[in-house]
Amino acid sequence: MESGAVVDAKGMAGLAGAVASLTGLVDELAGVVNTSAEAVGRTDGHDPLHELSESCLDSLGIVARVEAAAAAVKVRLLAEHSEAAAAMEAPAESACESAAREMSIVAEVACTLTIGEGAASALLQDAHALTTSLPVTLKAMEAGAISWRHAQIMVDETSGLDSAAAAALEAHFLDPEAPNAARGASAGELVPGRFRRKARAWRERHHPESLTIRHAKSVADRRMEYSPDRDGMAWISVYLAADKACAIWNRTSALARGLQGPDEARTLPQLKADLAAKLLLGGATDLAGPGPSLKADVLVTVPILSLLGATDEPADLDNYGPIPASMARRLVTEGAGSFYRVLVDPRDGAPLELGRTNYRLTESLKRWLRMRDGKCTFPACSNHSQDNEADHLTAWEHGGATGISNLGQLCPKHHRLKHRTGWSPGTASKNEPPGWTSPSGRHYNAEQPDREPTIWPPGCLPGEASALEVLIVDYLAAS
């Protein structure tokens, strides 16, 4: 009886709160729909189509929050069922008996939700993590601030971290009052793929174990995998070090773009696949086509103290994310022609300069733009830097200057969208990309980079003794 009381006291209050949040959101949705229905029947000169459009967009936003709150209720119910089912049983006498009980709980959930047992097992594991280790994430989902996919990403990216590290990652993205909280678009305003990229980058920088050490362990796992697919097709994937993978991808992309032209019927993805197959099978190396030969430039953003070997702070590889400091130093010192070094200010992590010689202003601006934006600036777009176009936020003919604060990266699709519809970019700065405003007047915040002050080695900060001073003192004490 005591164990049942503990289970009830621990979970029922949280479950009741989750249901109350869901009920409140459903009531809010009903209010918006009812108000819209009343407005449609009015004849006082307003625009009924505009009212209907606005109401539908408002309702869609609330529905997304309702779905998140419903997922939070499901998580609470799963966790409570699992704990209650375990509390009703006597302690297992063997590992086999414990495994059998767990299988029974999974099977019951799978049958109730009409899903596979693998999916049910994963759902129970996520529910356990959210209710025991990620309270801020669960609360945000209950409030509709983040979706179920965002919560799953948080579970994935905190896996293997201790409680303090997991709480720090949660606070960075979900607590606006946290020290050095994420700027720009909130976690819930980012599409899941973009949120995963930012969460993983932050995790890599703040992981208790050095990225250099983890990378050294993971290199041994490099491999190629083959997976047959439908319609006479198959997948081949290669798991290898990030710098090599990024260089392969960029070289293939550059060669494919060079083959494009009026006489080339293949699409860019088809060209990339054909080129990769030709190169792997030892085909001809003369791949120049009718189009121009393009260079696969890659930016490597390196904290200056890390470049000098004073710290092991991770660097950032364009179109990938954090890489070990040792890998960045090798890319810079070997002078790889495709890689451009970017140093950052140790005080705040902001870019200092582009490390190149004989540069022209236009090329420098393009690379600075790639470094600032990282991708197409349009909300939810992840188009890579190399395939984007530099665009004046305020048009040149309307007085816009050609400076970094009046430029933004746009993929071809969203470049056309800007010029042909009512979508418009907001303002930008040297280090912050622009947000966007839709034709309906809704504003979408920009995704901003998570820059942080770089890690200083011992003896560099005011008031600290340098390594040389320590050696001198020790020598004098011993003599």
Side-chain angles (χ1 to χ4, degrees):
M1 289 298 294
E2 183 179 351
S3 63
V6 170
V7 170
D8 289 343
K10 183 168 60 175
M12 290 311 295
L15 181 57
V19 171
S21 178
L22 175 59
T23 303
L25 287 170
V26 171
D27 291 342
E28 184 179 348
L29 176 61
V32 171
V33 173
N34 291 335
T35 301
S36 174
E38 294 171 2
V40 170
R42 284 164 46 194
T43 58
D44 55 0
H46 77 291
D47 185 348
L49 288 178
H50 178 74
E51 293 279 354
L52 178 61
S53 174
E54 289 294 306
S55 174
C56 288
L57 288 173
D58 291 340
S59 298
L60 281 171
I62 299 173
V63 166
R65 295 171 61 198
V66 168
E67 290 173 342
V73 172
K74 181 188 287 187
V75 164
R76 295 275 190 187
L77 291 170
L78 285 165
E80 288 306 304
H81 164 69
S82 180
E83 289 192 21
M88 287 188 295
E89 299 282 356
E93 295 182 356
S94 65
C96 291
E97 184 179 350
S98 177
R101 290 180 182 177
E102 184 176 338
M103 288 174 59
S104 176
I105 293 174
V106 168
E108 186 81 63
V109 169
C111 291
T112 301
L113 297 179
T114 321
I115 59 177
E117 292 190 5
S121 177
L123 199 55
L124 282 163
Q125 291 175 16
D126 290 344
H128 177 75
L130 286 165
T131 52
T132 58
S133 306
L134 300 170
V136 179
T137 302
L138 185 53
K139 284 291 184 183
M141 191 164 59
E142 288 173 357
I146 62 172
S147 70
W148 167 240
R149 285 294 300 125
H150 289 81
Q152 285 182 304
I153 291 167
M154 190 66 80
V155 171
D156 291 343
E157 297 306 325
T158 55
S159 175
L161 298 180
D162 58 30
S163 57
L169 195 154
E170 268 194 312
H172 177 73
F173 288 104
L174 300 177
D175 182 4
E177 303 300 323
N180 192 35
R183 299 177 301 137
S186 64
E189 293 176 312
L190 299 173
V191 295
R194 295 304 309 168
F195 175 61
R196 181 183 292 279
R197 187 180 180 93
K198 292 197 76 172
R200 179 162 297 173
W202 197 91
R203 178 187 187 273
E204 296 286 26
R205 289 199 304 267
H206 295 267
H207 198 285
E209 189 175 31
S210 165
L211 177 56
T212 299
I213 295 174
R214 286 180 284 134
H215 172 71
K217 295 176 182 177
S218 298
V219 165
D221 295 329
R222 62 190 182 278
R223 60 190 180 275
M224 177 182 284
E225 295 181 350
Y226 166 75
S227 177
D229 203 357
R230 299 180 298 274
D231 304 324
M233 303 297 287
W235 292 96
I236 290 178
S237 57
V238 185
Y239 181 66
L240 71 169
D243 57 336
K244 294 182 177 63
C246 195
I248 291 170
W249 174 259
N250 281 285
R251 173 170 166 75
T252 306
S253 299
L255 290 170
R257 285 195 297 271
L259 288 173
Q260 286 184 306
D263 299 326
E264 177 56 70
R266 289 173 293 179
T267 65
L268 189 62
Q270 290 171 341
L271 284 167
K272 290 179 183 179
D274 292 347
L275 285 167
K278 181 179 288 188
L279 292 170
L280 284 172
L281 294 173
T285 56
D286 183 11
L287 300 170
S293 177
L294 301 178
K295 187 178 180 182
D297 295 339
V298 181
L299 298 178
V300 184
T301 305
V302 193
I304 188 167
L305 295 173
S306 182
L307 180 63
L308 297 174
T311 69
D312 277 331
E313 185 177 2
D316 187 89
L317 184 63
D318 183 36
N319 197 27
Y320 173 77
I323 59 173
S326 56
M327 183 185 292
R329 287 194 287 268
R330 187 176 70 251
L331 290 174
V332 172
T333 55
E334 288 178 356
S338 299
F339 292 87
Y340 285 83
R341 181 197 68 201
V342 180
L343 297 181
V344 298
D345 194 324
R347 296 167 296 181
D348 57 9
L352 276 175
E353 54 95 4
L354 286 168
R356 55 180 302 234
T357 59
N358 300 322
Y359 67 88
R360 294 174 298 173
L361 177 61
T362 53
E363 289 300 316
S364 179
L365 273 176
K366 288 178 182 178
R367 291 196 175 95
W368 192 282
L369 194 62
R370 283 176 53 193
M371 178 175 57
R372 186 196 69 183
D373 296 349
K375 66 175 190 68
C376 173
T377 60
F378 195 82
C381 184
S382 297
N383 205 67
H384 304 311
S385 294
Q386 287 182 312
D387 298 325
N388 293 334
E389 303 164 355
D391 180 62
H392 287 78
L393 304 179
T394 300
W396 175 266
E397 58 267 26
H398 297 151
T402 305
I404 192 66
S405 297
N406 190 45
L407 294 172
Q409 277 198 76
L410 286 178
C411 66
K413 180 176 75 173
H414 291 122
H415 199 170
R416 292 192 298 271
L417 184 76
K418 177 201 167 190
H419 288 290
R420 297 177 184 176
T421 71
W423 282 91
S424 60
T427 58
S429 69
K430 184 179 72 171
N431 295 319
E432 295 179 359
W436 282 79
T437 301
S438 72
S440 67
R442 288 168 171 78
H443 182 72
Y444 299 89
N445 291 323
E447 178 185 338
Q448 296 182 14
D450 264 341
R451 295 196 178 96
E452 301 177 16
T454 192
I455 298 173
W456 289 80
C460 286
L461 296 177
E464 292 187 3
S466 69
L468 180 60
E469 290 173 325
V470 172
L471 289 174
I472 292 173
V473 170
D474 291 344
Y475 174 78
L476 291 174
S479 59

